[in-house]
């Protein structure tokens, strides 16, 4: 097929070639210009707008910063005496960057020899060195005594990378006497760090509040950390140490507590499992808040040993429990003065008499007085003085307990107080509406009779009992406080007549000074009298068979089945300045100088005549095995021997995960046991029985 001659492409002229070259050159030039402008703009942005950011990053590559834990604010008493302070802490760290791999085995072996470190500690240090950045210190040991610290310091030429440091650690001069007041400090947990990512929490030597006031006042006490700056190479190699930024100490916190009284009350409780609370009736200030036995907060802050933790957990006196705030007890006959105010408010004539024959029949039930032969005819004052059950059975039965419960609440029972403690239990002030809500049953006469002697459904903690005593003494609605933040607020007068208060206060004076049940609490200070009300709370069920055979005495019973012993008091009786409550778990009135009346007497004596009180304590403390520290050391030694624990390695090994005392399993178990006891009594009361069928277990004077 003939396609004809092929077409030739058009011929490019010189003008066309020139135009095409010029267009391409302009396009390329424009693109290059745009790139140049972009580069110039980016350089300007980096050098001007981003200058601070990159300077900071550059500085952080050159300078590393190690936080310095702040000195914790002191906790002081009302007079400025230290309750929690900071003592010099000698510690030894290793800076991994200054310790070569070749020197590491020799240095660790020498440290183990000088500081007497166990193999597991050396292994821990070796692991920490492997995980730490070159400039980060690794803790070798803290809380060293001077001799070991000095031994490391003088051999520093042989210990490359080792850094002895003088810092501060928490100290509680009164030890166990303030444990449940202050709580303690300890290292932050992994969970706490994950929650905040605050680098201070993982700084060696830093500790934060774990329990008590140390925990609730953490932000006030902590302070701000300092910083140690070091210049390093890109690989973290130390070049030079730079200026150090000092820490800012935490704020000193002043409490209403009298440190001397706090320690005296703790010692005077002796071997009891119990508590004491003292309140200033002019201000509501808590002067002492003691729960014993207790743990040593210094041990927890330093790292409590496995053996000590187990000993505290196994102790049936529950030293981990703050009994002032976490303990709930039937108040027993200590509520009878309060009942007297309620009766008079309800129209009962205080001079009207009830004949106590020793028993009162109500329907098909018989309810007894603690005095089997009866007291005979008694008015209100003598009923309080002799702690007569029949009088209060009869009068409360006539009036109805719904008229008593509001007065109990007005005086502080069942009340929640604004105090900086996370663990508080508030008890029960029952009435017909409460029973209907809780049990879906109507209130009965047996309920009223049991409540009238502080048993049945009624429960209170020791602080509430102290507030009750303070309000009766002052006639005002005092609010307890423990942190001094300015002047104490002025408390309003209670809606109770002065005449009624005078009758009840006079009756409490008679309890001690006119032949009542509390004669043992009489003060030995010439011209000064104490007013009080004793109480005994039953915690076990007494069977019909035991009643027929004869109720067992407390001394014949195991510890946990004995009655609680209580006392509320104020002094001086004619012009009250101090009020108090003493609650002794399972005391059973078995040892006279360890019973509530004598303990209350001596604690009140300390406030009025310190020298006399100290002399009285010195005469009897030796019979209990010495002071608190001596007894605790002896107990630990006996526990170690009984447990067969080898000393010292297994005994001093640190408990790695101790629970916070107020939330410890032993405390939960004790709380559960209290709840079970209360429920058993509630069931007996609901069935028409209860403690009132045998009478309050008040001992004879």
């Amino acid at each position: 097929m003939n396609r004809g001659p092929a077409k030739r492409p058009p011929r490019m002229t010189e003008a066309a070639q020139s135009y095409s070259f010029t267009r391409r050159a302009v396009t390329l030039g424009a693109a290059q210009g745009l790139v140049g402008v972009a580069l110039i703009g980016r350089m300007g942005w980096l050098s001007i707008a981003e200058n601070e950011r990159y300077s900071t990053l550059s500085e952080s590559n050159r300078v590393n910063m190690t936080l310095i834990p702040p000195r914790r604010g002191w906790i002081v008493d009302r007079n400025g005496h230290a309750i929690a302070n900071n003592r010099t802490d000698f510690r030894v760290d290793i800076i991994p960057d200054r310790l070569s791999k070749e020197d590491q085995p020799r240095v660790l072996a020498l440290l183990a020899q000088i500081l007497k470190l166990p193999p597991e500690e050396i292994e821990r240090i070796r692991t920490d060195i492997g995980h730490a950045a070159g400039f980060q210190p690794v803790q070798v040991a803290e809380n060293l005594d001077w001799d070991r610290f000095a031994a490391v310091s003088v051999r520093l030429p042989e210990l490359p990378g080792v850094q002895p440091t003088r810092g501060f650690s928490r100290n509680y001069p009164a030890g166990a006497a303030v444990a449940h007041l202050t709580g303690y400090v300890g290292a932050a947990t992994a969970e706490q760090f994950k929650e905040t990512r605050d680098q201070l929490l993982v700084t060696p030597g830093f500790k934060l509040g774990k329990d008590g006031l140390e925990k609730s006042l953490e932000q006030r006490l902590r302070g701000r950390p300092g910083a140690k700056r070091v210049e390093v190479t890109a690989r973290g190699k130390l070049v030079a140490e730079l200026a150090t930024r000092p820490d800012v100490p935490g704020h000193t916190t002043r409490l209403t507590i009298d440190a001397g009284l706090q320690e005296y009350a703790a010692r005077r409780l002796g071997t009891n499992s119990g508590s004491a609370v003292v309140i200033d009736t002019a201000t509501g200030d808590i002067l002492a808040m003691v729960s014993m036995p207790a743990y040593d907060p210094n041990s927890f802050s330093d790292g409590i040993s496995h053996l000590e933790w187990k000993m505290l957990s196994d102790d049936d006196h529950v030293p981990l429990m703050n009994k002032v705030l976490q303990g709930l007890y039937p108040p027993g006959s200590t509520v009878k003065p309060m009942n007297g105010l309620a009766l008079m408010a309800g129209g009962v004539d205080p001079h009207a008499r009830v004949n106590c024959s020793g028993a009162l029949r109500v329907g098909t039930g018989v309810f007894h007085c603690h005095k089997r032969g009866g007291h005979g005819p008694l008015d209100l004052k003598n009923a309080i003085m002799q702690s007569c059950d029949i009088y209060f059975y009869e009068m409360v039965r006539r009036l109805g307990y719904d008229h008593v419960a509001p007065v109990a609440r007005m005086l502080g029972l069942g009340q929640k107080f604004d105090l900086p403690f996370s663990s508080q239990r508030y008890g029960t002030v029952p009435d017909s509406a409460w029973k209907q809500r809780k049990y879906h049953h109507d209130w009965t006469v047996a309920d009223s009779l049991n409540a009238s002697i502080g048993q049945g459904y009624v429960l209170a903690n020791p602080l509430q009992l102290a507030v009750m005593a303070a309000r009766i003494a002052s006639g005002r609605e005092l609010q307890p406080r423990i942190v001094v933040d300015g002047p104490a607020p002025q408390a309003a007068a209670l809606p109770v007549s002065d005449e009624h208060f005078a009758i009840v206060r006079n009756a409490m004076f008679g309890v001690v000074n006119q032949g009542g049940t509390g004669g043992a609490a009489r003060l030995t200070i010439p011209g000064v009298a104490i007013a009080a009300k004793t109480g005994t709370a039953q915690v076990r069920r007494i069977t019909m068979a035991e009643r027929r055979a004869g109720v067992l005495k407390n001394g014949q019973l195991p510890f946990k089945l004995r009655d609680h012993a209580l006392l509320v008091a104020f002094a001086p009786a004619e012009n009250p300045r101090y009020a108090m409550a003493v609650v002794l778990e399972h005391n059973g009135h078995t040892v006279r100088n360890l019973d509530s009346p004598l303990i209350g007497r001596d604690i009140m004596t300390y406030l009025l005549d310190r020298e006399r009180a100290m002399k009285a304590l010195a005469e009897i403390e030796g019979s209990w095995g010495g002071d608190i520290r001596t007894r605790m050391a002896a107990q630990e030694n006996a526990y170690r021997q009984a447990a067969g624990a080898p000393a010292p390695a297994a005994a001093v090994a640190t408990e790695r995960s101790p629970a916070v005392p107020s939330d410890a399993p032993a405390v939960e178990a004790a709380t559960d046991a209290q709840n079970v006891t209360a429920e058993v009594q509630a069931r007996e009361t609901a069935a028409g029985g209860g403690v009132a069928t045998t009478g309050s277990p008040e001992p004879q004077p």
Side-chain angles (χ1 to χ4, degrees):
M1 185 178 194
N2 187 6
R3 298 182 178 179
K7 292 182 179 180
R8 295 181 180 180
R11 188 174 180 178
M12 179 69 69
T13 64
E14 184 176 346
Q17 287 180 342
S18 175
Y19 173 77
S20 176
F21 175 79
T22 300
R23 187 180 61 184
R24 291 175 182 176
V26 169
T27 301
L28 181 60
Q32 289 175 334
L34 288 173
V35 170
V37 169
L39 289 173
I40 292 170
R42 179 61 176 167
M43 291 175 65
W45 173 262
L46 292 176
S47 61
I48 298 173
E50 293 285 280
N51 177 65
E52 183 177 353
R53 176 189 170 203
Y54 285 101
S55 295
T56 302
L57 289 174
S58 175
E59 179 71 4
S60 68
N61 286 333
R62 183 183 72 87
V63 177
N64 285 116
M65 197 165 59
T66 301
L67 292 178
I68 300 173
R71 285 163 289 176
R72 201 165 178 83
W74 284 27
I75 300 175
V76 300
D77 81 340
R78 65 192 299 108
N79 302 310
H81 300 140
I83 292 176
N85 58 15
N86 303 315
R87 57 179 166 80
T88 301
D89 175 24
F90 296 112
R91 59 182 293 127
V92 172
D93 296 317
I94 286 178
I95 309 301
D97 187 61
R98 300 179 184 177
L99 178 62
S100 67
K101 291 184 178 180
E102 294 75 20
D103 286 335
Q104 182 175 313
R106 179 183 60 80
V107 169
L108 292 182
L110 187 53
L111 285 174
Q113 175 188 339
I114 297 172
L115 300 176
K116 298 179 174 58
L117 300 175
E120 57 268 22
E121 275 298 291
I122 295 298
E123 185 59 33
R124 190 268 306 167
I125 296 167
R126 188 178 291 111
T127 301
D128 287 351
I129 290 174
H131 292 160
F135 55 86
Q136 286 183 318
V138 169
Q139 178 182 304
V140 174
E142 62 178 346
N143 296 325
L144 293 172
D145 55 58
W146 170 252
D147 290 340
R148 289 191 292 168
F149 181 78
V152 172
S153 299
V154 299
R155 301 185 69 172
L156 281 181
E158 306 171 59
L159 297 167
V162 174
Q163 179 176 287
T165 306
R166 177 179 175 176
F168 299 92
S169 63
R170 206 55 160 170
N171 178 54
Y172 305 93
V178 299
H180 292 294
L181 174 69
T182 61
Y184 68 101
V185 297
T189 63
E191 290 73 20
Q192 287 172 318
F193 175 69
K194 289 176 183 176
E195 183 179 342
T196 63
R197 293 294 172 180
D198 184 349
Q199 292 300 312
L200 178 61
L201 300 186
V202 293
T203 300
F206 174 74
K207 293 178 180 178
L208 74 168
K210 292 286 192 174
D211 206 1
L213 293 176
E214 290 280 24
K215 180 180 180 181
S216 59
L217 303 178
E218 172 64 26
Q219 295 308 312
R220 183 190 301 213
L221 296 170
R222 179 183 293 190
R224 294 199 303 272
K228 182 177 181 180
R229 300 166 67 241
V230 293
E231 185 177 0
V232 295
T233 66
R235 296 188 177 185
K237 188 75 174 177
L238 180 66
V239 174
E241 293 187 2
L242 305 177
T244 296
R245 184 186 72 201
D247 67 298
V248 178
H251 296 289
T252 294
T253 299
R254 184 171 164 229
L255 305 183
T256 61
I257 295 293
D258 180 322
L261 176 66
Q262 177 83 11
E263 187 166 4
Y264 181 87
R267 292 173 62 185
R268 187 58 187 85
L269 285 171
T271 57
N272 277 298
S273 172
S275 55
V277 182
V278 182
I279 294 178
D280 185 328
T281 60
T283 61
D285 288 354
I286 300 175
L287 303 179
M289 192 182 83
V290 180
S291 175
M292 293 301 289
Y295 59 89
D296 185 350
N298 294 299
S299 294
F300 272 80
S301 296
D302 294 342
I304 190 168
S305 71
H306 176 74
L307 181 134
E308 187 177 354
W309 171 253
K310 192 170 188 312
M311 178 186 70
L312 293 169
S313 299
D314 292 345
D315 194 331
D316 64 358
H317 284 36
V318 201
L320 296 172
M321 184 179 192
N322 183 347
K323 299 175 180 69
V324 172
L325 300 176
Q326 294 179 287
L328 290 181
Y329 312 93
S333 295
T334 61
V335 299
K336 288 175 179 173
M338 176 272 294
N339 288 346
L341 290 175
L343 292 174
M344 288 186 287
V348 172
D349 181 356
H351 304 295
R353 296 191 174 198
V354 171
N355 184 56
C356 172
S357 63
L360 175 69
R361 179 174 291 277
V362 179
T364 59
V366 179
F367 299 87
H368 290 88
C369 185
H370 68 86
K371 187 175 182 181
R372 284 292 179 256
H375 291 100
L378 295 171
D379 60 7
L380 176 59
K381 176 184 175 180
N382 283 283
I384 292 174
M385 284 174 52
Q386 302 303 325
S387 202
C388 177
D389 297 328
I390 298 298
Y391 178 92
F392 288 99
Y393 292 160
E394 176 60 25
M395 289 301 193
V396 172
R397 181 181 69 83
R398 294 179 192 176
L399 184 65
Y401 197 77
D402 278 1
H403 291 278
V404 177
V407 177
R409 298 187 188 104
M410 178 182 68
L411 293 181
L413 299 192
Q415 189 171 348
K416 299 180 180 180
F417 303 114
D418 184 19
L419 294 172
F421 295 95
S422 58
S423 299
Q424 296 187 57
R425 302 176 70 208
Y426 303 105
T428 303
V429 176
D431 57 20
S432 57
W434 170 87
K435 186 180 180 184
Q436 191 61 241
R437 287 194 308 271
K438 185 172 177 63
Y439 294 107
H440 308 292
H441 291 295
D442 293 335
W443 189 265
T444 67
V445 173
D447 296 337
S448 290
L449 269 54
N450 279 284
S452 74
I453 59 170
Q455 295 271 181
Y457 304 117
V458 185
L459 291 172
N461 68 36
L463 175 62
Q464 292 168 340
L465 295 178
V467 170
M468 178 181 72
R471 290 181 179 179
I472 290 174
S474 68
R476 293 183 293 122
E477 193 179 358
L478 292 171
Q479 296 295 324
R481 70 166 186 164
I482 202 163
V483 176
V484 178
D485 283 324
Q490 184 65 33
L494 291 167
V496 177
S497 74
D498 291 341
E499 181 186 357
H500 291 175
F501 271 129
I503 290 170
V504 166
R505 292 171 192 150
N506 186 37
M508 294 178 71
F509 172 86
V511 167
V512 178
N513 305 287
Q514 294 177 337
T517 58
R522 186 178 294 111
L523 295 178
T524 58
I525 304 172
V528 182
I530 185 174
K533 182 66 192 80
T534 56
T536 308
Q538 186 175 300
V539 298
R540 69 189 183 97
R541 181 176 181 271
I542 299 176
T543 65
M544 291 300 296
E546 185 178 342
R547 291 173 192 163
R548 287 192 295 268
V551 177
L552 294 174
K553 302 294 184 183
N554 278 287
Q556 300 171 283
L557 296 170
F559 171 72
K560 287 291 186 181
L561 297 182
R562 297 174 186 169
D563 300 330
H564 299 320
L566 305 94
L567 178 83
V568 295
F570 56 82
E574 69 282 359
N575 185 24
R577 179 59 196 275
Y578 307 110
M580 67 181 304
V582 175
V583 179
L584 308 178
E585 291 184 336
H586 310 294
N587 170 274
H589 307 289
T590 53
V591 180
R592 183 173 174 82
N593 66 20
L594 286 171
D595 202 356
S596 52
L598 288 178
I599 290 173
R601 180 200 70 181
D602 288 351
I603 292 175
M604 197 65 79
T605 298
Y606 181 91
L607 287 161
L608 303 169
D609 189 337
R610 185 168 303 190
E611 184 177 346
R612 186 185 297 266
M614 293 303 296
K615 181 180 178 182
L617 178 61
E619 291 173 355
I620 56 177
E621 194 170 35
S623 65
W624 311 327
D627 62 17
I628 297 171
R629 286 185 175 86
T630 302
R631 294 200 311 272
M632 288 179 71
Q635 182 185 13
E636 183 173 345
N637 185 55
Y639 187 86
R640 179 187 292 114
Q641 292 179 356
V652 301
T654 302
E655 176 65 33
R656 295 299 178 186
S657 56
V660 173
S662 57
D663 296 327
V667 174
E668 292 182 1
T671 300
D672 291 343
Q674 286 184 344
N675 292 339
V676 168
T677 298
E679 197 58 37
V680 168
Q681 290 204 356
R683 286 199 299 268
E684 280 204 33
T685 300
V691 177
T693 57
T694 56
S696 63
E698 194 79 27
Q700 299 305 305

